[in-house]
Amino acid sequence: MTRGRATREGIPTPIMAQYYAQRCDAGLIISEGVAISPQGYGWINSPGIWNDAQVEAWKPITKAVHDHGSTIVAQLWHMGRMLSPGVTNVPSVAPSAIQPPGVAHGPHGKSDYPTPEALTIPQIHQIVKDYGIAAKNAVKAGFDGIQLHAANGYLVDQFLRDSTNKRKDEYGGSPQKRLRFLKEVVEEMIAAIGAERVSVRFSPNGEIQGCVDSHPEEVFIPAAALLQKLNVAWLELREGSDDASFDMAGQTHQKKLSPEIRKVFHNPLVLNGDYDKESGEEALKLGKADAIAYGRLYINNPDLATRFKENLPIDTDIQPTSFYAAYQEDKTSGYTDYPFATKK
Ligand SMILES: Cc1cc2nc3c(=O)[nH]c(=O)nc-3n(C[C@H](O)[C@H](O)[C@H](O)COP(=O)(O)O)c2cc1C
């Protein structure tokens, strides 16, 4: 989960090692979004993994996680049209030149998102290569693997869905053509680090950041079948949330696709979105998923899995003001200062 504790240059900071190490009772940690290139970087104080300084700064973080007995994958992120102006001076790019809705939060305050430039074919080929390089960098930095961030209205999602992809070439039009970018990126990453280290995240139902599809089942079921064919290690689905207070929730007007996806994707399937202990256990018991990913509960409860196991109280008092700390003096507050319920 993006927490905005890296430097303005996207270099991870030591406090991040402490944060992740505290959360090592999770069997697997999926990192916050990690930018693959300056072109994909547009969230203030988020980390990147495109240069040596960033790779070096990740090493103590992955080591801290391993020393505490857990595993961690890097979530590889290109934001496409969602860059906040002023984080860098690089123009935003997307499959099509369509301005995103909503308000960007950059170093110079709130503003509209600019209309992105439509990507040329050579630029698309370069981005595919950038994903492969970032995957290699992640392994160099000590990550156990990567998760391709293909959810939440960012670049891969912008290619997949028909509200944001109006291209008339081989990367747009039919669902099959909208899958092409995903396919090339995943193949590139598999060639770079092996399928057993590559996973993917989708958010197939509902609208997120203006990204929506009129027939999501026509895109995401073939997408899941494709990932099975490529034999990726696992697939995570963030399904729409019913929590109206959560502005990144995505609307639930489209039905959940996980039951259909489960029929075509046979490697481990991970579900996310609004789960608590009981609903998570229920989903596992019913065979809807092989694992559940917890987001917000892991902010407040660094030892969430232990609390679940031992029936200890769960802190559900989520504080959105501490989610991202770009403008706060004290970066630890609401980050590394949540107490453990149990002595470690
Ligand atoms: C502060 C915050 C940061 C997030 N950052 C990311 C991110 O970097 N990548 C991502 O895929 N999802 C991100 N999300 C979405 C979460 O991964 C998750 O899908 C969402 O919180 C729903 O799960 P939950 O109900 O368990 O919290 C973020 C959510 C929050 C609240």
Side-chain angles (χ1 to χ4, degrees):
M1 300 171 85
T2 298
R3 304 299 312 274
R5 266 77 175 178
T7 70
R8 280 297 306 280
E9 292 73 40
I11 299 176
T13 55
I15 190 184
M16 290 165 60
Q18 192 190 348
Y19 169 75
Y20 283 112
Q22 285 173 339
R23 284 157 181 78
C24 278
D25 71 353
L28 169 65
I29 296 175
I30 305 164
S31 81
E32 63 205 281
V34 181
I36 62 160
S37 64
Q39 183 197 53
Y41 183 68
W43 191 298
I44 188 162
N45 291 85
S46 65
I49 196 149
W50 68 81
N51 65 35
D52 289 345
Q54 294 163 343
V55 170
E56 284 309 308
W58 276 113
K59 286 182 180 169
I61 299 173
T62 56
K63 181 173 185 312
V65 170
H66 293 146
D67 287 349
H68 284 78
S70 190
T71 49
I72 182 166
V73 298
Q75 189 189 54
L76 297 186
W77 195 23
H78 187 306
M79 296 177 73
R81 66 179 192 162
M82 300 310 300
L83 308 190
S84 287
V87 175
T88 67
N89 295 316
V90 180
S92 59
V93 294
S96 302
I98 302 169
Q99 185 182 23
V103 181
H105 297 252
H108 312 304
K110 295 182 185 180
S111 61
D112 290 340
Y113 287 101
T115 301
E117 292 173 5
L119 285 160
T120 63
I121 300 275
Q123 281 178 311
I124 293 176
H125 293 166
Q126 183 57 51
I127 297 174
V128 169
K129 287 202 186 108
D130 290 343
Y131 273 107
I133 295 166
K136 277 195 180 142
N137 283 349
V139 170
K140 238 190 266 171
F143 284 100
D144 298 288
I146 62 94
Q147 180 184 65
L148 173 66
H149 194 346
N152 296 355
Y154 296 109
L155 184 68
V156 184
D157 211 16
Q158 291 161 27
F159 268 95
L160 290 173
R161 308 221 228 179
D162 61 11
S163 73
T164 41
N165 185 346
K166 307 284 185 197
R167 298 181 74 93
K168 307 237 179 303
D169 60 11
E170 62 266 41
Y171 289 95
S174 65
Q176 215 51 43
K177 287 181 172 176
R178 279 181 272 134
L179 285 179
R180 183 181 179 121
F181 181 67
L182 169 77
K183 177 171 182 286
E184 291 182 359
V185 169
V186 174
E187 284 174 343
E188 183 80 11
M189 295 190 307
I190 288 175
I193 61 170
E196 70 283 6
R197 291 182 192 273
V198 172
S199 68
V200 177
R201 176 178 230 210
F202 292 141
S203 50
N205 62 314
E207 174 173 346
I208 302 185
Q209 308 199 103
C211 208
V212 63
D213 202 88
S214 35
H215 300 286
E217 67 287 355
E218 291 178 12
V219 188
F220 287 99
I221 296 170
L226 166 73
L227 296 180
Q228 180 60 55
K229 209 161 125 205
L230 296 174
N231 201 22
V232 300
W234 45 280
L235 172 62
E236 183 195 1
L237 305 178
R238 178 193 184 178
E239 301 201 273
S241 170
D242 296 324
D243 182 350
S245 69
F246 186 24
D247 67 358
M248 287 274 289
Q251 296 153 10
T252 48
H253 63 270
Q254 292 173 334
K255 71 171 180 172
K256 293 188 173 178
L257 291 182
S258 48
E260 295 305 313
I261 285 180
R262 191 110 165 113
K263 290 181 195 156
V264 299
F265 186 81
H266 308 295
N267 288 355
L269 184 69
V270 181
L271 295 183
N272 163 258
D274 269 356
Y275 285 95
D276 59 15
K277 178 185 167 181
E278 287 72 30
S279 58
E281 279 179 345
E282 176 80 358
L284 294 177
K285 206 161 36 176
L286 294 174
K288 291 181 175 177
D290 300 293
I292 302 296
Y294 291 90
R296 288 163 296 168
L297 285 181
Y298 250 114
I299 292 179
N300 288 37
N301 302 274
D303 51 352
L304 184 69
T306 307
R307 292 185 197 216
F308 281 173
K309 257 189 247 160
E310 297 179 12
N311 277 321
L312 296 165
I314 308 291
D315 174 4
T316 55
D317 184 20
I318 312 289
Q319 299 291 334
T321 50
S322 67
F323 279 175
Y324 320 109
Y327 307 107
Q328 289 167 17
E329 226 8 69
D330 174 11
K331 309 275 188 228
T332 60
S333 157
Y335 189 58
T336 49
D337 59 354
Y338 285 104
F340 286 77
T342 49
K343 278 231 169 311
K344 290 236 121 182

